[in-house]
Amino acid sequence: MTTDAVVTGVEHSTRKGEVRLFLWEKYVDTPEGKPAVLFVHGSSMASQPTFDLCVPGRPDSSVMDWFARRGFVCWSVDMEGYGRSDKHRDIYCDIANGADDLAAATDYIRKTCGIASFATYGISSGALRAALFAQRHPDRVARLALDAFVWTGEGAPTLAQRRKKLPEFLASKRRPIDRAFVYSIFERDHPDTAEKRVVDAFADAILALDDSMPNGTYIDMCSKLPVVDPLQIVVPTLVLRGQYDGIAAFDDLIEFFKRLPNPDKQFTVMAGISHASFQQKNYMMVYAILMDWFARPRPAYVGPSP
């Protein structure tokens, strides 16, 4: 596969009851017969700004294009309340609702494209959505990657600060966002891990779709953790932790990782990265880690059954 091949993007939509969900597919030449990646966004931005960002002069800012040019068909979905999906229901749009969205999206993809199982990547609250989805539907997740994940929240300074605003989050279904808020994502953990032009492009893309975000994932992460059980996540799992991430506390993740029952698992610390890994200076390192994980063959031998 040539790394400058033309990537095709196709818009899709499906319904979760009364709710319309927007899906985005990308591939080179044809999607037929290719392994599929499902990308799951976080609390404060929709899917396309996160996974299909264009930054002039910065090669491969779109992780969807990068994987498409290497033989994958790539999918993302805007969760209910985000981006180009419906926002009309008066609900918080919590982690469990996001896992429902993933079930509806994969139902649609299976019926229309015949794809039954995905290499699944989630970031931040998207990692929680992806983990809960894998817990509920392990047959639909071939390999799981959890980036900027949080289990109990213990030892996470960003969450400790965010909990101070819990009454504010509970008082409203949505919270306003602006350019200063997007900048704060990159300023709160460690300075200089991302280029300003990338953050500017990211903010432009986010704010073109949304001026507010649902509060449900913040409420869950501040007051309801843990929302997933590692013992019930039976698929091969990669846990990714940025060196400077103020949400993904190291010891918390190690305890989660220890409890994952599948022996095909990996824990990786990403040097020089804070929270939003695909928008960091070291983004190409993240792509390489993910490619190795998603393309890795299944173990031929894993020992006797317990």
Side-chain angles (χ1 to χ4, degrees):
M1 181 70 66
T2 58
T3 56
D4 59 352
V6 175
V7 180
T8 298
V10 181
E11 297 182 6
H12 300 260
S13 68
T14 191
R15 302 201 74 83
K16 180 189 66 173
E18 64 183 275
V19 177
R20 176 189 173 276
L21 298 175
F22 171 79
L23 294 85
W24 183 233
E25 177 191 21
K26 301 204 85 174
Y27 56 85
V28 170
D29 295 330
T30 176
E32 304 300 328
K34 294 179 176 177
V37 182
L38 176 63
F39 291 100
V40 187
H41 68 78
S43 296
S44 301
M45 59 287 298
S47 61
Q48 289 173 301
T50 309
F51 305 121
D52 200 19
L53 186 66
C54 177
V55 183
R58 182 183 188 251
D60 297 313
S61 288
S62 166
V63 67
M64 295 184 80
D65 284 1
W66 192 88
F67 271 89
R69 290 185 173 120
R70 286 157 180 81
F72 289 80
V73 55
C74 299
W75 288 85
S76 65
V77 54
D78 287 352
M79 303 290 108
E80 179 182 0
Y82 293 82
R84 299 167 70 179
S85 289
D86 279 351
K87 306 171 187 177
H88 61 77
R89 290 206 297 170
D90 187 29
I91 65 171
Y92 286 109
C93 296
D94 58 10
I95 298 296
N97 191 68
D100 292 340
D101 294 337
L102 295 175
T106 53
D107 279 343
Y108 168 82
I109 298 169
R110 184 176 66 250
K111 291 173 184 175
T112 58
C113 304
I115 299 171
S117 185
F118 299 80
T120 304
Y121 168 92
I123 185 163
S124 192
S125 70
L128 284 164
R129 293 176 176 120
L132 186 56
F133 172 67
Q135 183 175 313
R136 292 176 174 177
H137 302 281
D139 56 311
R140 303 189 191 188
V141 179
R143 299 184 77 78
L144 179 65
L146 305 176
D147 189 353
F149 181 72
V150 58
W151 182 35
T152 69
E154 185 176 350
T158 300
L159 290 185
Q161 291 299 313
R162 190 175 292 171
R163 287 189 194 102
K164 298 175 182 178
K165 294 186 175 182
L166 182 58
E168 179 182 327
F169 301 143
L170 289 166
S172 176
K173 301 298 192 304
R174 298 183 70 89
R175 57 192 162 84
I177 62 163
D178 57 15
R179 189 170 294 272
F181 168 77
V182 178
Y183 291 165
S184 74
I185 297 170
F186 298 90
E187 295 165 352
R188 69 192 182 204
D189 293 330
H190 189 80
D192 206 34
T193 60
E195 296 179 77
K196 184 179 183 302
R197 64 184 180 128
V198 177
V199 180
D200 286 338
F202 194 37
D204 288 344
I206 292 168
L207 297 172
L209 294 172
D210 291 292
D211 60 9
S212 68
M213 294 291 168
N215 274 332
T217 58
Y218 271 26
I219 292 168
D220 281 359
M221 293 168 77
C222 288
S223 65
K224 298 182 180 180
L225 294 176
V227 296
V228 297
D229 180 359
L231 293 174
Q232 296 185 49
I233 299 174
V234 298
V235 301
T237 301
L238 165 67
V239 178
L240 292 165
R241 196 255 171 183
Q243 178 185 358
Y244 301 114
D245 195 339
I247 286 180
F250 185 85
D251 290 342
D252 187 44
L253 295 184
I254 288 293
E255 290 304 315
F256 174 85
F257 181 79
K258 284 161 58 176
R259 290 164 171 79
L260 292 169
N262 194 312
D264 189 2
K265 59 183 178 178
Q266 177 176 317
F267 188 107
T268 297
V269 176
M270 302 177 292
I273 284 178
S274 56
H275 190 66
S277 57
F278 292 154
Q279 285 73 51
Q280 306 279 296
K281 291 178 178 177
N282 291 346
Y283 69 107
M284 293 302 297
M285 177 181 69
V286 188
Y287 292 5
I289 294 167
L290 280 178
M291 173 60 79
D292 175 73
W293 179 250
F294 287 156
R296 186 177 298 177
R298 288 185 177 185
Y301 177 72
V302 293
S305 299

